[in-house]
Amino acid sequence: MKQAFLLGNGAMALGLLEAGCQMLTSYPGTPSSEILPETVRFAKAADLNTVIEWSVNEKVAFDNAFAAAISGKRAACCMKMVGLNVAADSFMSAAYIGNIGGLVVISCDDPGPHSSQTEQDSRFMARIAKVPVLDPASPQEARAMIKTAFEISEEFQVPVMVRPAIRICHARQNISYEQLKSNYTPAVFKREPTRWASTPKFRFFQHKALNEKHLKIAEKFNTLVPYNRHTIKPEQTFALGIVVGGVPSAVVSDLCAEFNRTDIPLLKLGAPYPFPEELASQFMDACDRVLVIEETDTVIEYMLRDRHKTWGRLTGHVPMEGELVPEKIESILNQALIESSLPPLSDTDSTKAGFALAGSLDLPIRKPTLCPGCPHRASFYAIRKAVPKAIYPSDIGCYTLGSNLGGVDTVLDMGAGITLASGFWHAFHQDGEDKPIVATMGDSTFFHSGTTGLINAVYNDARFVLVILDNGITAMTGMQPAITQGALVDGRKGNAIALETIVKGCGVDYIQVVDPYDIDHTIAEIKKAHEWALSPEGGIAVVISRHPCVIGLRDQALPEIFEVEITEECDDCGLCHLRFECPAMVRNPDKKMTEINPVLCSGCGVCLNICPKNAVQTVS
Amino acid sequence: MKTCNFVLSGLGGQGILFMTKILAQTALNKGYNILGAETHGMAQRGGSVVSHLKIGDAGSSLIRAGAGDFLISMDEAETYRYLPWVRPGGMVFANASAHKFPDDRVKPYLAEYKITAFAMEAGKTALEMGAPRSTNLAMVAFFAAFGQGPLDADALRQTVASVSPDPVKQVNLKIFDVCHEQGKNCAERSAHGIV
């Protein structure tokens, strides 16, 4: 027996291998990113030959896993919830077609949101796709549910979703486990075109079969202990019952235990869809009112039949947005208990006073920033200098933080830096205006969903500059290897693909490569690219701004360290800490000038070229 | 058993996760179950970082506001930001100047809820000893000197020794000892009512 202090994502990695998963695919995204590398770590330690890959995007990841599953192997793919949007086309279709070996989709939700563009609830996606879904309450339960998910997936030949929220993924728990064993099943593909390549006529029958499966799975979910259960004994009745799912079910249980409230009955729905009608009805019948506490949306609340008895988001008892943190759940419970003429759990006045105090102190607002020495800072600075009055469409990655430098005007989704740029171009061009546009996109995002937009922009004759920010790594999500470098997740060598080749292949003729640390040259090249793009013979101009990530590839990023100081020439204009926005450059209000914070300074030396007074100098 | 709840706060890059690891590993070595919540992703980039750790049997990872036994903070402002998480009667340990801490505006609140707050310039000490990045374990040593909670100083020091990479192991242990000593002085003065 071994013991480890694992992230929930590590616990799920264990669960995948314990269940005999033979192929795992993913595209990184908070809060899912650590599942895949943790699986690599466990698989290596146990000498398993599991196929594990970072795929180019989530749809690609899903399709690869699907192929393994219809070849009879257990396979899984994992992603953040907005990644499932990218894979949605495959996901919906796969439920109709079904699988042979178990197929598990882990879609990690981010209520808050902490690191995402929406708070969407993956359980709704499961419902649209008619895919059964399990919703874990703790890392340990997530691990166990993965095994259950594979079993259900194989029994009913349908993909199954496990939906952990961020508090599962990034919780850390001590977990015991046995030596992992190989669970090898050879691939067999039986040709069956009416199933694997079915036409709309057969899709009707597949849909019908899927609906029939759902009745049976719902039946199973009525008694799927311990994931689905309630605490009410026959003949008991209650003024108020609580229906919980996922992370809130652990919070509510902990609260009831802490305040010794054995008088509050709970219905836990860790497997909420297909909906276990009978189990829910037993609970509803025994309670005058039920309060639904679930994340992030109203999946269970919509499925409970008796509207008049149900309290939740639709009745204003639970907030419609934001994470259900424990103090919020405490106050929701207190309110519902008081409304039901029951004693509340607690008196929360001290908490209110504490928040009021912290709110009154004018604490610094700390927005996320690009790291000191980040090459993206130099790129955005150069873009703003080169084409100051442009629209700057961008999208998702570390470079979203270019907004702090005024270099990011729009963030819609992955790949939208390019597609919004072409949309803006045509919208203004229609009015006879040649709008300056400089789009930005990271290297990983470009591979993920940049190429289709770029081909479209070239084909439809849009005109703008695209700056591809190539830092040789997928940084924001935790330094996953980049396609341009060719290293695979398990350390083996794959095949590197050069950005220049792809960009050229998309039909772009104007390609320049710059090092953003050379600020003056970068400004000049972006200016040139912009002029060319708008010239009569112009088109899409691509500037690849290439410099390694200062965190993930530190040695390559900083071959020379510059120790810098601020001289007396500093006139406190603030450009360095406000517009260049380097966290290592701090205003000293007493001296009325900038100072360098030596602990934060990376020594990149880029600031030597940005001060209008030339007050940044190397220490002599 | 009731869990012992640690809230650890600071800024991105100050090693909050490493500090969590030291406490968690020590608890694990003592046979406790542990459950914690961490900050990753965009929230980590330069912003305010907080980590929760429950020692004992718990089902949910986040510590409820008003339920933290100890707040250990790497930054003065981040101490105040997470003050609402400290329970009445709880304790606060901050990387700040003992002469200026706590802020006058905070003192009535601390008094009303019987929260005791201590500060040490852990960052300054670690910098002077040549390892500014070890401020996190300096704060662990400071906390350990007060003999509160289920994790004793010897066990914490042992974990620091086992998890520190070789090149910094000796300096880390030295920082631990120096800060533990400073903490003991601070704890003694407070026991005698000298603040």
Side-chain angles (χ1 to χ4, degrees):
Chain A
M1 183 75 85
K2 299 175 185 179
Q3 168 123 262
F5 183 43
L6 292 180
L7 276 179
N9 284 343
M12 287 188 274
L14 257 184
L16 286 165
L17 294 174
E18 285 167 335
C21 177
Q22 284 186 260
M23 185 191 283
L24 176 66
T25 58
S26 180
Y27 182 81
T30 309
S32 73
S33 309
E34 299 83 3
I35 300 174
L36 194 101
E38 284 290 84
T39 310
V40 170
R41 189 165 70 89
F42 285 120
K44 271 192 171 173
D47 202 20
L48 305 179
N49 75 340
T50 322
V51 176
I52 304 173
E53 73 167 38
W54 282 128
S55 308
V56 171
N57 70 26
E58 293 86 353
K59 179 233 177 326
V60 173
F62 184 96
D63 292 1
N64 275 275
F66 179 73
I70 68 171
S71 308
K73 299 191 178 217
R74 286 193 167 183
C77 62
C78 49
M79 58 200 69
K80 71 181 299 175
M81 80 295 198
V82 289
L84 184 61
N85 301 344
V86 178
D89 199 5
S90 307
F91 182 62
M92 308 273 162
S93 180
Y96 279 44
I97 297 172
N99 45 278
I100 308 279
L103 177 60
V104 172
V105 179
I106 304 176
S107 180
C108 303
D109 280 6
D110 182 15
H114 295 269
S115 211
S116 306
Q117 63 269 42
T118 70
E119 291 193 285
Q120 66 192 68
D121 188 328
S122 291
R123 297 173 307 161
F124 266 130
M125 288 290 275
R127 198 163 178 227
I128 299 171
K130 299 198 172 179
V131 164
V133 59
L134 305 179
D135 183 14
S138 69
Q140 186 64 268
E141 191 173 75
R143 170 197 183 188
M145 273 183 175
I146 285 172
K147 187 156 178 277
T148 310
F150 273 116
E151 287 162 2
I152 295 168
S153 176
E154 267 167 19
E155 183 182 347
F156 296 96
Q157 300 206 349
V158 65
V160 173
M161 178 195 285
V162 177
R163 187 290 294 254
I166 191 166
R167 295 303 166 191
I168 304 294
C169 298
H170 291 163
R172 230 179 235 282
Q173 191 168 24
N174 57 307
I175 303 259
S176 315
Y177 63 101
E178 308 279 353
Q179 176 66 36
L180 293 163
K181 291 188 290 277
S182 168
N183 198 350
Y184 192 77
T185 308
V188 177
F189 180 69
K190 197 167 149 253
R191 294 185 70 210
E192 197 182 338
T194 52
R195 179 172 187 190
W196 309 126
S198 68
T199 51
K201 186 181 160 200
F202 287 100
R203 289 290 175 143
F204 170 82
F205 294 110
Q206 285 178 330
H207 189 189
K208 193 160 188 279
L210 177 60
N211 288 330
E212 281 158 9
K213 285 177 193 176
H214 268 240
L215 295 176
K216 291 187 188 137
I217 299 169
E219 195 57 41
K220 191 182 187 80
F221 281 6
N222 278 321
T223 55
L224 195 70
V225 180
Y227 309 142
N228 285 350
R229 66 191 147 89
H230 65 64
T231 57
I232 295 181
K233 297 190 182 74
E235 312 301 328
Q236 282 184 313
T237 57
F238 295 87
L240 178 69
I242 316 294
V243 183
V244 287
V247 171
S249 64
V251 175
V252 170
S253 296
D254 277 357
L255 280 168
C256 289
E258 185 180 340
F259 294 103
N260 280 321
R261 292 298 290 267
T262 47
D263 61 315
I264 305 172
L266 301 181
L267 167 63
K268 184 192 177 216
L269 294 178
Y273 179 76
F275 194 61
E277 290 283 355
E278 196 185 316
L279 186 75
S281 293
Q282 287 166 12
F283 189 82
M284 291 288 273
D285 290 347
C287 299
D288 296 337
R289 294 261 179 213
V290 296
L291 168 68
V292 186
I293 309 182
E294 60 184 320
E295 268 181 340
T296 314
D297 217 304
T298 49
V299 173
I300 296 173
E301 197 175 338
Y302 278 153
M303 289 190 289
L304 288 173
R305 292 254 171 110
D306 194 342
R307 279 270 177 277
H308 304 292
K309 273 193 179 184
T310 308
W311 286 346
R313 290 196 166 88
L314 302 176
T315 55
H317 288 80
V318 178
M320 289 293 274
E321 54 283 312
E323 185 180 10
L324 291 180
V325 291
E327 54 273 17
K328 212 184 270 179
I329 292 182
E330 182 188 29
S331 113
I332 293 165
L333 277 173
N334 281 338
Q335 185 60 34
L337 287 163
I338 291 166
E339 277 185 51
S340 306
S341 306
L342 296 166
L345 293 177
S346 58
D347 162 25
T348 55
D349 278 357
S350 73
T351 324
K352 282 194 191 114
F355 281 112
L357 172 70
S360 73
L361 295 176
D362 293 321
L363 297 174
I365 298 160
R366 302 203 198 274
K367 53 183 182 182
T369 54
L370 294 168
C371 304
C374 177
H376 297 341
R377 172 173 291 104
S379 295
F380 281 111
Y381 185 80
I383 289 168
R384 294 274 282 147
K385 278 271 172 199
V387 196
K389 292 207 170 99
I391 301 178
Y392 307 111
S394 187
D395 50 48
I396 294 168
C398 282
Y399 56 99
T400 305
L401 302 175
S403 58
N404 295 344
L405 284 91
V408 171
D409 286 331
T410 60
V411 176
L412 180 65
D413 70 330
M414 295 282 281
I418 294 172
T419 45
L420 264 62
S422 57
F424 278 128
W425 168 262
H426 293 301
F428 282 89
H429 195 64
Q430 189 174 39
D431 305 343
E433 186 181 349
D434 286 357
K435 190 79 188 165
I437 299 164
V438 183
T440 46
M441 192 175 294
D443 52 319
S444 182
T445 304
F446 180 72
F447 283 106
H448 177 284
S449 47
T451 50
T452 41
L454 186 55
I455 291 167
N456 179 69
V458 172
Y459 169 56
N460 288 297
D461 197 24
R463 306 292 180 93
F464 57 87
V465 178
L466 166 65
V467 181
I468 301 182
L469 305 161
D470 178 12
N471 61 357
I473 208 158
T474 312
M476 177 63 92
T477 47
M479 310 301 165
Q480 291 80 18
I483 293 171
T484 52
Q485 309 300 304
L488 302 180
V489 64
D490 53 7
R492 285 179 303 126
K493 211 181 149 323
N495 298 305
I497 301 167
L499 278 171
E500 290 88 327
T501 318
I502 303 292
V503 171
K504 192 159 178 47
C506 290
V508 174
D509 294 325
Y510 190 106
I511 306 172
Q512 283 297 328
V513 182
V514 297
D515 179 346
Y517 269 30
D518 185 350
I519 277 248
D520 291 339
H521 180 240
T522 305
I523 294 171
E525 281 299 337
I526 294 171
K527 219 178 247 176
K528 239 166 70 189
H530 170 62
E531 281 156 13
W532 181 84
L534 295 193
S535 66
E537 70 284 4
I540 308 284
V542 172
V543 176
I544 299 174
S545 185
R546 179 170 288 152
H547 194 98
C549 171
V550 73
I551 303 294
L553 303 164
R554 191 174 184 85
D555 293 344
Q556 297 170 47
L558 301 169
E560 188 181 356
I561 303 281
F562 296 89
E563 197 184 335
V564 297
E565 62 182 1
I566 309 292
T567 67
E568 293 301 316
E569 303 299 311
C570 174
D571 66 353
D572 199 26
C573 74
L575 181 133
C576 55
H577 54 86
L578 296 175
R579 274 199 61 194
F580 187 60
E581 204 243 357
C582 179
M585 306 183 96
V586 189
R587 179 171 190 263
N588 182 328
D590 301 329
K591 291 190 189 163
K592 293 199 169 52
M593 64 183 286
T594 298
E595 281 180 348
I596 302 289
N597 177 336
V599 177
L600 291 178
C601 179
S602 68
C604 71
V606 173
C607 57
L608 290 165
N609 298 309
I610 60 127
C611 178
K613 296 281 171 206
N614 232 356
V616 187
Q617 295 293 334
T618 48
V619 175
S620 45
Chain B
M1 90 171 219
K2 194 195 160 297
T3 54
C4 178
N5 298 339
F6 285 88
V7 177
L8 311 171
S9 72
L11 304 176
Q14 285 186 324
I16 303 294
L17 295 188
F18 188 74
M19 181 152 76
T20 315
K21 192 175 163 189
I22 293 170
L23 296 171
Q25 189 59 50
T26 310
L28 208 54
N29 294 346
K30 286 183 167 291
Y32 290 105
N33 281 324
I34 40 184
L35 182 57
E38 297 179 357
T39 312
H40 291 247
M42 182 184 264
Q44 225 178 346
R45 293 269 175 273
S48 157
V49 172
V50 65
S51 170
H52 292 188
L53 182 68
K54 294 180 176 178
I55 297 174
D57 298 326
S60 61
S61 64
L62 280 182
I63 293 168
R64 181 166 41 89
D69 296 294
F70 306 111
L71 167 63
I72 307 178
S73 183
M74 302 281 289
D75 178 272
E76 188 171 349
E78 298 311 309
T79 313
Y80 302 139
R81 201 186 303 276
Y82 293 99
L83 215 46
W85 271 260
V86 183
R87 67 167 167 82
M91 297 174 85
V92 174
F93 304 88
N95 172 24
S97 159
H99 304 298
K100 294 184 202 156
F101 181 86
D103 191 303
D104 284 339
R105 293 172 292 174
V106 173
K107 281 178 180 163
Y109 175 83
L110 297 178
E112 187 181 348
Y113 294 99
K114 298 189 169 48
I115 295 168
T116 41
F118 304 94
M120 178 187 70
E121 286 183 286
K124 205 172 148 197
T125 307
L127 183 68
E128 280 165 9
M129 295 179 71
R133 286 184 191 278
S134 299
T135 307
N136 47 7
L137 59 95
M139 284 306 297
V140 171
F142 180 60
F143 159 76
F146 290 78
Q148 298 288 323
L151 310 177
D152 59 89
D154 288 345
L156 286 165
R157 189 180 188 279
Q158 218 166 6
T159 308
V160 170
S162 69
V163 301
S164 295
D166 271 337
V168 292
K169 188 165 162 174
Q170 286 315 315
V171 67
N172 275 358
L173 288 174
K174 225 165 112 188
I175 290 174
F176 189 96
D177 293 338
V178 167
C179 293
H180 183 246
E181 204 50 42
Q182 288 188 23
K184 271 193 354 206
N185 293 337
C186 178
E188 259 168 45
R189 283 200 306 276
S190 123
H192 291 101
I194 312 158
V195 180

